Amino acid sequence: MSELPLLKVHELSKFYGGRIGCRNVSFDLWPGEVLAIVGESGSGKTTLLNCLSTRLTADVGSVEYHMRDGQYRNLATMPEAERRFLMRTDWGFVHQNPADGLRMTVSAGANVGERLMAVGERHYGRIRETAGDWLGRVEIGLDRMDDQPRAFSGGMRQRLQIARNLVTSPRLVFMDEPTGGLDVSVQARLLDLIRGLVQDLGLAVIVVTHDLAVARLLSHRMMVMKDGHVIEHGLTDRVLDDPREPYTQLLVSSILQV
Amino acid sequence: MSDLATYNFAYLDEQTKRMIRRAILKAIAIPGYQVPFASREMPMPYGWGTGGVQVTAAVIGPEDTLKVIDQGADDTTNAVSIRAFFQKVANVAVTTKMREATVIQTRHRIPEETLTEGQVLVYQVPIPEPLRFLEPRETETRKMHALEEYGLMHVKLYEDIARNGHIATTYAYPVKVEGRYVMDPSPIPKFDNPKMHMSEALQLFGAGREKRIYAIPPHTKVVSLDFEDHPFEVQKFAKPCALCGAHGVYLDEVILDDKGGRMFVCSDTDFCEERREAGHVGELGVANKEAAE
């Protein structure tokens, strides 16, 4: 692991008029680290994620990213062309609803190949080979390569979305409730897959979830949010096994036991 | 002189023409870029060439000779009515001969014979945005043009190959103009794409409903998009034109009876007639009387 953080977040705030989206969030993310942001609905998790991934503009504070050339760059002041290039090469974004992250009207192969074509690959055979390889890694059969995602099940769509994001070997992936809306066995398989990929590729991941079990399985560190504030921050096992804040204690004790 | 109201020269008022000319100048300055313009209602329905007619009205002068082509033919409804329209409102000379024309308005074809310096080719465009069917948001496609993010165009070609084994797009085949903007050349067959490259004529594109004008100035590079292992190819025809025997031209299929009889003839009627007058005869053609005598 490198000595320098991949992402430096400083005093980030976002307001929706008088209401708080998220307030005074600061943290560093190191390469290869998985950070979970947990909290109840409306606690500002997704707002924070969107601010970090430049999908929303923060009102106060800065997000600096460690570029491949070794420089730190403030994402808010980066030219749009460069930012979009970064988003489709060095970053990934996995949406809760796969339809938001996929092109539903083009085949699975083209979905995975799109990023390659966007960075200038112009050889059909090579694009197809790489796409096939990635579909294999997310356990989608090659016979489904030319099918459109709308012919896929929810779990398959989510795996396709992951493959589509990872094809350019990004260093940072944002995930917004990646397992939301999937049944438990599919969820387990997907978590297993994500865990394997994160480890193999040394990805840094920021995952937003309200499911503490997902956070436990995937993440190294977690932040607990409430009403736009980060109220507790620490190693996942520490936060879940020994929660300090009353709200975190409530959250942990609310997990249903079977 | 009658006291009845008369039309201004070429139907549009001078201020409108001025506005359209400004859009055209901008389009010429930025080859392949879609310039928005305040498209007017024309006395014809959208989809019949309102964009092309406005561009023609803005560039035509009393000295010009106009030719109108519809799918290569001079004698189909659209061509006849637009030709009659300009005869009436601009009183300009009209012709069907490609070499005599200074302004040629076209729907879906480029003439077979090479255009020369000083000629203006005006295209009627239904949908100017090449990325439209993959990205429905106009805000997003504009951004993609601005930032030169054209990966999506290749996604379309990829889909073609994945489904059909080859690039099956046969018309409105996307091109890159002067190494910068990706452009929809209007629904001309891809057979005509190479004719746009380094053409001596000025090529103007007008989309009335979508309110866009774009242009290819003379001597501009126009390259059809493709993959390294699936290069761009134009359509080939097994037989020459059945009437004039021409090879290497774009042919239309004509059904002859209900027993499967068919023939393939030049889609460019002017080109075909000229060849027949010169004595060329295809397998189903009738020898020209004068030439035979």
Side-chain angles (χ1 to χ4, degrees):
Chain A
M1 262 193 214
S2 149
E3 297 289 307
L4 294 164
L6 190 63
L7 200 65
K8 292 202 275 194
V9 182
H10 185 67
E11 302 276 307
L12 202 68
S13 300
K14 170 80 187 170
F15 302 98
Y16 297 110
R19 270 170 294 142
I20 296 170
C22 61
R23 183 143 201 203
N24 284 345
V25 180
S26 301
F27 68 91
D28 288 345
L29 182 77
W30 270 266
E33 187 184 33
V34 181
L35 173 72
I37 304 171
V38 300
E40 60 189 12
S41 291
S43 60
K45 306 184 299 273
T46 301
T47 298
L48 176 60
L49 190 78
N50 286 339
C51 286
L52 295 174
S53 60
T54 71
R55 290 157 57 82
L56 272 180
T57 327
D59 294 316
V60 187
S62 68
V63 183
E64 284 181 287
Y65 182 68
H66 193 211
M67 306 290 285
R68 281 183 192 259
D69 62 6
Q71 301 289 314
Y72 278 99
R73 296 285 301 277
N74 187 341
L75 295 175
T77 56
M78 195 183 256
E80 188 170 21
E82 212 176 329
R83 198 164 66 222
R84 284 171 68 109
F85 184 74
L86 188 74
M87 284 176 85
R88 61 169 192 264
T89 53
D90 220 16
W91 289 6
F93 198 105
V94 178
H95 295 261
Q96 174 174 10
N97 179 4
D100 296 340
L102 291 172
R103 281 191 199 284
M104 299 304 276
T105 52
V106 303
S107 67
N111 261 294
V112 178
E114 183 181 341
R115 277 182 167 221
L116 296 172
M117 293 180 246
V119 295
E121 176 62 270
R122 293 288 178 264
H123 191 282
Y124 175 78
R126 280 203 297 270
I127 292 168
R128 208 169 160 76
E129 200 183 306
T130 316
D133 181 41
W134 268 100
L135 289 176
R137 290 172 83 160
V138 296
E139 299 164 22
I140 295 175
L142 278 183
D143 56 324
R144 305 301 303 273
M145 188 166 181
D146 294 330
D147 291 350
Q148 294 185 359
R150 47 181 170 198
F152 286 8
S153 68
M156 277 176 88
R157 287 182 191 183
Q158 201 54 290
R159 278 178 278 144
L160 177 62
Q161 199 193 171
I162 289 168
R164 171 181 159 90
N165 273 289
L166 296 185
V167 69
T168 47
S169 2
R171 293 189 297 160
L172 174 59
V173 178
F174 299 96
M175 294 186 184
D176 188 3
E177 308 271 14
T179 58
L182 300 176
D183 64 61
V184 280
S185 59
V186 173
Q187 218 181 76
R189 222 170 118 204
L190 186 69
L191 285 173
D192 224 32
L193 178 82
I194 295 176
R195 216 146 61 137
L197 287 171
V198 164
Q199 219 145 52
D200 292 348
L201 305 168
L203 289 176
V205 179
I206 297 179
V207 55
V208 158
T209 179
H210 59 259
D211 187 343
L212 294 178
V214 169
R216 167 85 92 178
L217 276 170
L218 284 181
S219 68
H220 304 124
R221 261 199 309 155
M222 63 191 281
M223 294 195 316
V224 183
M225 290 188 75
K226 186 173 188 300
D227 301 332
H229 294 80
V230 174
I231 55 163
E232 190 160 354
H233 184 187
L235 294 177
T236 302
D237 290 345
R238 204 281 292 151
V239 174
L240 290 179
D241 294 337
D242 180 20
R244 277 178 204 158
E245 296 293 320
Y247 175 73
T248 317
Q249 289 166 4
L250 177 81
L251 209 61
V252 171
S253 61
S254 306
I255 301 175
L256 291 177
Q257 302 293 331
V258 185
Chain B
M1 279 289 284
S2 83
D3 293 334
L4 289 170
T6 50
Y7 288 112
N8 186 33
F9 177 77
Y11 186 73
L12 295 172
D13 62 276
E14 291 306 313
Q15 283 304 315
T16 300
K17 281 198 256 179
R18 184 181 147 105
M19 172 273 293
I20 296 174
R21 285 174 195 146
R22 289 175 76 120
I24 292 173
L25 286 175
K26 187 169 178 184
I28 293 169
I30 319 171
Y33 172 71
Q34 298 166 44
V35 183
F37 79 111
S39 175
R40 298 288 193 251
E41 293 268 342
M42 296 303 282
M44 59 202 291
Y46 286 134
W48 285 59
T50 50
V53 164
Q54 288 179 78
V55 171
T56 302
V59 298
I60 205 163
E63 310 300 316
D64 275 316
T65 307
L66 178 71
K67 170 178 163 73
V68 185
I69 318 170
D70 173 10
Q71 303 271 18
D74 291 284
D75 51 5
T76 48
T77 318
N78 198 235
V80 170
S81 58
I82 292 174
R83 198 162 53 225
F85 175 76
F86 279 110
Q87 267 179 304
K88 188 172 182 180
V89 299
N91 196 25
V92 290
V94 294
T95 179
T96 59
K97 300 258 177 271
M98 180 265 179
R99 246 174 274 114
E100 290 168 10
T102 51
V103 177
I104 304 172
Q105 181 170 335
T106 180
R107 173 173 175 265
H108 304 188
R109 269 318 300 280
I110 298 176
E112 295 295 351
E113 259 181 278
T114 315
L115 293 157
T116 51
E117 197 180 322
Q119 287 185 307
V120 180
L121 187 60
V122 179
Y123 297 76
Q124 302 170 196
V125 182
I127 295 167
E129 180 51 71
L131 302 162
R132 177 60 69 241
F133 290 108
L134 291 151
E135 178 51 70
R137 290 168 295 181
E138 174 72 16
T139 47
E140 187 66 15
T141 53
R142 273 199 225 180
K143 200 166 269 181
M144 289 159 91
H145 281 294
L147 302 175
E148 233 181 315
E149 287 179 4
Y150 289 132
L152 201 52
M153 210 64 253
H154 275 84
V155 171
K156 182 178 188 283
L157 302 179
Y158 172 98
E159 277 293 280
D160 258 4
I161 305 174
R163 273 189 213 161
N164 307 299
H166 59 98
I167 299 178
T169 305
T170 51
Y171 66 96
Y173 193 101
V175 293
K176 195 163 210 177
V177 181
E178 201 65 21
R180 178 58 181 84
Y181 283 97
V182 165
M183 188 192 92
D184 182 341
S186 88
I188 58 169
K190 67 176 172 183
F191 182 89
D192 286 342
N193 271 17
K195 294 178 194 161
M196 292 188 287
H197 179 64
M198 287 297 175
S199 170
E200 286 180 22
L202 170 65
Q203 301 171 74
L204 302 174
F205 298 77
R209 179 180 47 210
E210 303 286 326
K211 302 178 169 54
R212 294 288 183 276
I213 285 173
Y214 49 104
I216 304 175
H219 308 288
T220 303
K221 278 179 267 173
V222 179
V223 182
S224 304
L225 300 180
D226 59 2
F227 283 105
E228 286 161 24
D229 47 349
H230 286 269
F232 173 77
E233 274 176 358
V234 298
Q235 293 102 325
K236 289 191 184 70
F237 296 90
K239 282 184 175 178
C241 170
L243 293 179
C244 77
H247 288 270
V249 294
Y250 194 75
L251 303 180
D252 280 343
E253 182 181 8
V254 179
I255 306 284
L256 297 175
D257 51 35
D258 58 0
K259 299 180 190 68
R262 65 193 59 200
M263 65 174 185
F264 288 89
V265 296
C266 288
S267 114
D268 187 339
T269 53
D270 167 48
F271 178 79
C272 197
E273 270 161 29
E274 216 163 88
R275 273 180 61 87
R276 276 181 283 156
E277 267 164 33
H280 297 276
V281 184
E283 61 175 3
L284 294 174
V286 184
N288 184 299
K289 262 186 203 159
E290 287 168 39
E293 281 162 13

